[in-house]
Amino acid sequence: MKRYFSLLTALFITTFAIADNGMWLPSQISMRIADMQSKGLKLSAEDIYSLNQPSLKDAVVLFNGGCSGELISDEGLLITNYHCGHSLIQAHSSVGHDYLKDGFWAMTRDQELPNKRIFVRFLVYMDDVTDIVLSGYKSGMSEAQRDSIIEVNGKPVIEAAEKEGVGYSARIAPLYYGNQYFIWVYQTFTDVRLVGAPPAAVGKFGGDTDNWMWPRHTGDFSLFRIYADKNNNPAPYSADNVPYTPKKHFKMSLKERREGDFTFVYGYPGTTQEYIYSEKVKYISEASDPHKRNLRTLRLDVQKKYMSADPAVRIKYSAKNASVANSWKKWLGEMNGIRKMKTYEEKKAFESQFAEWAANRPEYSWIIPRFELLYPQWEKYAFATDYYNESIRANEIISLANSIRMNIMQKKSIDVINAYIDDFYKNYYLPIDKECFILLLRQYRQYIPDAYRPAYFSDMIIHYGTMQAWVDAIYEKSALTNVDAAKELVKRAVEAGDDYAAVLLSDPACEFEYRFKTHYDENISNVYDYFTEQIDQVYRYYMKGQMEMCQEKEFFPDANLTLRVAYGNIQGYSPADGIYYKPVSTLEGIMQKDNPDIFDYNIPQELRDIYAAKDYGRYAVNGTVPVCFIATNHTTGGNSGSPVLDGDGNLIGINFDRVWEGTMSDIVFDPDVCRNISLDMRYVLFYIDRLSGARQLLNEIETVE
Ligand code: ARG
Ligand code: GLU
């Protein structure tokens, strides 16, 4: 029996060792550099991340809190994905000037469009502060004591870092479930203007049909420019601001590339869960993903119906629809991938080895039994939480009611709240919201047991006789169904001072929000948080134990929206027996998919004309233009817009997606099929040159051939 287990361990370890997976910390890249160089990197660790000289990290940004982006000129020009700029492009659009449909290009700097809510963040430096924040902590102390020690120790470190420069902010966060702590110090710019974006027919080509899939032909890019004050420091928008001069920017490579070529991705992956316990894997793939998905299917069907009937509704719901559809589709890929990889069974097998290894190690022997005890309890509340978020909170006027209540509670001014309300109604269409609401509530009634629902829910159904009658009454009587009535309600609530709640509660949508939220806070989220905390503490020891047990394995810290380096090579894959996917897609594929009758595949006429003339100039490769490519880099959500670099550190692409068969890589990475999808810079240059009309941009973009 023993031999069998150690054999399994060996197997487990080797599969990990050869895999290309990992999202590594830039400040510790010297530990990976030899491996990277052996695979084709020509740069040094200092070129990638340095405190003493400009390095590649100075050209990478966190874009608007959820995407990555990079500088591509010495005049603050920034490229990210189209889908990362989508809601901003939408905000500048109306049926009169529909930049989603027609694209937008600033022909001069004056025409670049300022954005209301936008920020980009440069990493100034990162540092291991484990010893500092844990100083004074002794084993045997309670978790509460530990947390407060970390907070007290961390505060002066953060404050000192934030004084080091203009627009600096700092954050301390755990890695490896609290076995290590790092500080990240950022500089944030908020005057960031839209420079250009292709029409959705290019930037979103293939839409949600092609999303998460290969082969792909999406021109998923948009351009922005960072503005700074006269001293090159961050400043709020001002007409006097000037283009920011970055410490470093990327050159774009037009060089030929081949399958097998080294690439690396430098960006901000959001979340991965590579080291979780089997039960969590099961929960994700068998409960959470399928249920959340079903709820979104209902919403998407309703959105689609109204969006295809009315162009104004299509604009309003364009970004919302894309974001609902995005996770909806990914969850299916993730469930399938986990099943196919037998991740639950693999984890179980590993856990029994772990239990055996831990048996005479008191520091670890309690871990597995503790997980077994905690997870079943946690799951009930996790499910109620997931369901609450995807059904109750997914309703738009209910979420508006919540924002209004929070804003009034925080004593925000009427002007601020009204501006928020205006923004809300700009993208609101009542028939969609109402139709979704009733569908979601029916699911909620079916899947959430009585004990986890507020009594208010059944009371109201009894009171109104049917769910439909109840929902009709809410939409008939609530002030939140139109902008003026909503503002009027807010005015009355604010004027009521401390009695604002009574005013809000007289509105049925606000009452609904309040009843559900308080029930959720008092009966679900507190218990959920309690179990989550308990579980996270176990993970701290489990993580440490895994690292101690598998010494040969190299553990990267799970992604946490901090800057990381992933590396691999350009590589096709075989999704199924008898099929091989090539690593590169071209303009030919766009033309094959082109179909004027299908919204997602109707390309601009100019592109058809250029294709007919085959006049591609310097962007031609074998008589066509490369569009997208795939590689073995380990990426996740947040990596969108990340620079994809060659061995010399030149920009060959921007990351925007993963392939269908590899969408489970946040939990388990399969080197055979996990691929990141990137937009080829040659298509971007071709587009700017031939189709944008904004050729002046090519004067500031540097290329290498
Ligand atoms: N799947 C990509 C990502 O996760 C692209 C999403 C945007 N595109 C879309 N069709 N919804 O962000
Ligand atoms: N499209 C994703 C994003 O917005 C990247 C794809 C992925 O999840 O890997 O970050």
Side-chain angles (χ1 to χ4, degrees):
M1 200 64 174
K2 258 227 167 72
R3 258 198 63 206
Y4 168 73
F5 277 130
S6 52
L7 200 74
L8 247 179
T9 317
L11 270 175
F12 191 80
I13 292 165
T14 42
T15 23
F16 271 95
I18 54 160
D20 250 331
N21 63 329
M23 301 170 175
W24 309 96
L25 298 176
S27 64
Q28 297 180 341
I29 206 66
S30 56
M31 286 153 71
R32 315 284 328 159
I33 206 79
D35 188 45
M36 293 172 78
Q37 288 167 343
S38 77
K39 291 174 175 158
L41 178 71
K42 301 207 185 65
L43 305 176
S44 67
E46 279 282 297
D47 293 329
I48 293 176
Y49 177 91
S50 172
L51 295 178
N52 310 308
Q53 63 188 51
S55 58
L56 297 188
K57 79 141 172 53
D58 299 311
V60 183
V61 297
L62 175 66
F63 183 85
N64 229 8
C67 278
S68 308
E70 56 275 7
L71 277 291
I72 50 167
S73 88
D74 57 7
E75 296 176 83
L77 190 64
L78 178 161
I79 188 166
T80 184
N81 288 142
Y82 180 89
H83 78 261
C84 298
H86 188 179
S87 61
L88 302 163
I89 302 162
Q90 179 186 325
H92 292 294
S93 301
S94 63
V95 178
H97 46 248
D98 185 349
Y99 299 140
L100 297 175
K101 187 161 149 284
D102 306 324
F104 167 80
W105 292 94
M107 295 303 160
T108 61
R109 299 269 158 100
D110 307 344
Q111 290 175 4
E112 296 177 356
L113 298 173
N115 296 286
K116 266 200 252 167
R117 268 182 277 278
I118 190 173
F119 65 93
V120 302
R121 204 158 258 184
F122 289 87
L123 178 68
V124 186
Y125 66 88
M126 56 192 287
D127 207 2
D128 187 340
V129 293
T130 315
D131 292 343
I132 301 174
V133 299
L134 287 180
S135 116
Y137 171 74
K138 291 185 193 60
S139 65
M141 284 182 171
S142 73
E143 283 301 312
Q145 281 173 307
R146 189 176 189 272
D147 291 346
S148 102
I149 285 175
I150 292 169
E151 205 191 310
V152 171
N153 288 339
K155 202 159 170 248
V157 183
I158 291 177
E159 282 170 1
E162 293 187 335
K163 289 204 190 90
E164 287 167 17
V166 181
Y168 277 28
S169 63
R171 155 186 176 211
I172 291 178
L175 294 169
Y176 302 110
Y177 293 93
N179 283 290
Q180 215 176 7
Y181 288 83
F182 262 69
I183 186 168
W184 285 268
V185 181
Y186 297 102
Q187 186 173 40
T188 301
F189 289 79
T190 53
D191 186 354
V192 183
R193 306 183 195 169
L194 178 62
V195 173
V202 170
K204 243 190 128 211
F205 180 79
D208 286 292
T209 319
D210 283 10
N211 191 22
W212 297 113
M213 305 221 287
W214 183 254
R216 192 65 155 279
H217 301 90
T218 314
D220 199 343
F221 77 101
S222 56
L223 299 177
F224 290 81
R225 191 184 304 283
I226 304 176
Y227 280 78
D229 69 12
K230 302 223 156 51
N231 303 316
N232 209 33
N233 281 323
Y237 170 80
S238 155
D240 297 335
N241 285 347
V242 293
Y244 168 68
T245 309
K247 293 195 197 78
K248 189 91 189 168
H249 65 273
F250 292 109
K251 296 182 182 130
M252 295 191 181
S253 169
L254 288 167
K255 283 189 193 152
E256 200 191 325
R257 19 205 181 256
R258 289 200 189 83
E259 186 155 17
D261 281 358
F262 177 82
T263 68
F264 66 112
V265 175
Y266 207 171
Y268 283 87
T271 315
T272 60
Q273 313 184 67
E274 307 285 337
Y275 311 107
I276 49 176
Y277 190 66
S278 55
E279 197 53 37
K280 177 90 186 271
V281 173
K282 192 174 183 178
Y283 174 74
I284 293 170
S285 57
E286 290 177 24
S288 166
D289 281 358
H291 277 276
K292 290 190 298 190
R293 207 181 127 76
N294 287 344
L295 290 166
R296 289 198 179 198
T297 308
L298 301 171
R299 285 160 74 196
L300 289 168
D301 288 346
V302 175
Q303 290 179 359
K304 191 169 158 206
K305 183 173 81 184
Y306 289 99
M307 285 171 80
S308 46
D310 181 347
V313 177
R314 187 179 51 70
I315 295 178
K316 280 174 194 270
Y317 276 72
S318 174
K320 271 184 210 168
N321 177 265
S323 98
V324 175
N326 192 42
S327 309
W328 168 81
K329 190 160 179 186
K330 181 193 149 179
W331 289 329
L332 181 62
E334 185 172 81
M335 286 154 60
N336 291 346
I338 287 173
R339 205 171 304 136
K340 185 178 150 228
M341 291 291 286
K342 298 198 175 4
T343 308
Y344 174 74
E345 294 79 358
E346 294 272 320
K347 293 260 183 198
K348 275 264 175 238
F350 174 75
E351 286 151 13
S352 36
Q353 298 164 56
F354 183 87
E356 170 139 333
W357 172 86
N360 8 347
R361 292 177 168 84
E363 198 187 347
Y364 301 115
S365 56
W366 55 278
I367 291 176
I368 303 287
R370 186 97 184 118
F371 274 138
E372 286 295 312
L373 188 77
L374 288 171
Y375 262 117
Q377 323 241 42
W378 173 86
E379 262 167 48
K380 291 184 233 156
Y381 292 88
F383 188 74
T385 298
D386 279 339
Y387 226 87
Y388 172 70
N389 287 331
E390 286 290 330
S391 60
I392 306 300
R393 290 188 54 205
N395 175 267
E396 297 183 57
I397 58 169
I398 300 310
S399 96
L400 174 65
N402 180 260
S403 306
I404 288 176
R405 187 162 66 84
M406 293 299 143
N407 276 315
I408 296 178
M409 238 164 78
Q410 293 158 13
K411 304 226 183 312
K412 295 271 171 65
S413 75
I414 293 220
D415 287 347
V416 169
I417 306 177
N418 283 350
Y420 183 87
I421 291 176
D422 283 329
D423 274 0
F424 175 89
Y425 286 102
K426 191 165 182 247
N427 294 331
Y428 182 70
Y429 187 61
L430 188 142
I432 292 186
D433 192 32
K434 187 176 172 190
E435 209 166 306
C436 290
F437 196 27
I438 180 95
L439 294 171
L440 295 177
L441 283 185
R442 288 204 176 111
Q443 297 296 307
Y444 178 82
R445 175 161 63 177
Q446 184 172 347
Y447 289 104
I448 297 301
D450 224 4
Y452 296 79
R453 299 194 305 227
Y456 162 80
F457 182 75
S458 346
D459 291 351
M460 291 318 258
I461 295 172
I462 294 167
H463 177 84
Y464 283 97
T466 63
M467 188 109 81
Q468 183 72 54
W470 179 28
V471 171
D472 285 343
I474 292 177
Y475 280 80
E476 205 174 287
K477 293 190 197 125
S478 173
L480 299 195
T481 53
N482 85 71
V483 60
D484 296 329
K487 287 182 181 173
E488 176 58 31
L489 177 72
V490 167
K491 185 164 164 277
R492 280 197 291 121
V494 171
E495 281 166 3
D498 288 343
D499 295 329
Y500 71 90
V503 176
L504 292 183
L505 278 174
S506 69
D507 182 275
C510 294
E511 184 187 14
F512 183 104
E513 184 279 322
Y514 178 78
R515 300 270 187 205
F516 268 89
K517 181 72 167 75
T518 37
H519 174 268
Y520 176 74
D521 287 347
E522 286 162 14
N523 303 283
I524 310 289
S525 85
N526 52 353
V527 191
Y528 173 69
D529 291 347
Y530 170 79
F531 284 118
T532 304
E533 245 167 61
Q534 297 280 310
I535 285 176
D536 282 349
Q537 287 162 27
V538 185
Y539 273 120
R540 195 165 77 236
Y541 293 92
Y542 185 44
M543 190 74 232
K544 188 158 172 254
Q546 291 184 61
M547 293 166 98
E548 208 171 303
M549 174 176 144
C550 312
Q551 306 237 344
E552 299 91 307
K553 182 180 159 185
E554 298 188 68
F555 289 81
F556 65 92
D558 267 320
N560 61 347
L561 206 65
T562 58
L563 190 59
R564 302 295 176 95
V565 174
Y567 59 95
N569 52 291
I570 298 175
Q571 196 69 253
Y573 71 106
S574 171
D577 181 42
I579 310 174
Y580 184 72
Y581 282 152
K582 290 197 252 178
V584 175
S585 68
T586 67
L587 197 50
E588 305 312 303
I590 296 184
M591 300 314 298
Q592 287 162 10
K593 288 176 180 173
D594 177 28
N595 184 340
D597 299 330
I598 302 176
F599 183 79
D600 285 336
Y601 294 108
N602 182 10
I603 63 170
Q605 186 55 39
E606 298 89 316
L607 190 52
R608 291 186 191 115
D609 297 343
I610 290 182
Y611 180 77
K614 297 263 180 305
D615 172 22
Y616 311 138
R618 64 198 292 230
Y619 312 106
V621 178
N622 301 324
T624 186
V625 181
V627 176
C628 296
F629 64 94
I630 51 175
T632 60
N633 302 297
H634 192 181
T635 54
T636 185
N639 267 128
S640 273
S642 299
V644 183
L645 305 159
D646 66 9
D648 296 312
N650 291 320
L651 192 64
I652 58 173
I654 55 174
N655 184 74
F656 71 96
D657 212 355
R658 276 174 285 172
V659 304
W660 183 242
E661 296 78 8
T663 39
M664 68 296 188
S665 67
D666 297 348
I667 292 159
V668 57
F669 188 92
D670 178 0
D672 289 342
V673 296
C674 286
R675 299 289 179 271
N676 69 309
I677 307 181
S678 307
L679 171 62
D680 196 305
M681 282 346 278
R682 292 172 292 191
Y683 185 57
V684 172
L685 289 166
F686 162 78
Y687 188 88
I688 295 174
D689 193 342
R690 293 304 161 89
L691 287 135
S692 72
R695 299 196 62 211
Q696 75 282 357
L697 293 170
L698 299 175
N699 300 331
E700 58 177 300
I701 296 172
E702 289 171 70
T703 54
V704 287
E705 297 193 43

